[in-house]
Amino acid sequence: MPTPLGVEQLTALGYDVVIKSEAGALSAFADESYLEARARIGTGEAAWGAGIVFRVNGPSPGEVAKPQDGATLVSIPSPALGTAVGMTSGVAGR
């Protein structure tokens, strides 16, 4: 997940950024700091509908199909959490 500074840079480039409510709480980034960076605060489902989806950990097996067709999923695979599926789904078409 981008920091508020990253969101500010993305919005300056013309991207529409949706941050899941409370997504930055464990990193001490309040929703208000994302609003100040011109992000919209929304639900997790709204974030899955974006063209580029940032996720801290890799997707669960049930989340792999959530991004819209043609979307890019950016995440850190977490094999210890059982989320290595994000890596394998990204290279399966090669």
Side-chain angles (χ1 to χ4, degrees), residues 32-78:
E32 291 76 23
S33 61
Y34 288 106
L35 290 170
E36 290 171 7
R38 299 187 307 273
R40 290 184 294 124
I41 304 299
T43 65
E45 290 306 312
W48 280 111
I52 302 172
V53 178
F54 290 93
R55 192 170 189 315
V56 174
N57 293 312
S60 69
E63 293 172 331
V64 171
K66 284 190 172 189
Q68 64 184 0
D69 287 343
T72 300
L73 174 62
V74 180
S75 67
I76 300 169
S78 303

Side-chain angles (χ1 to χ4, degrees), residues 17-31:
V17 178
V18 179
I19 300 289
K20 180 181 173 185
S21 181
E22 300 293 318
L26 293 177
S27 299
F29 296 123
D31 286 350

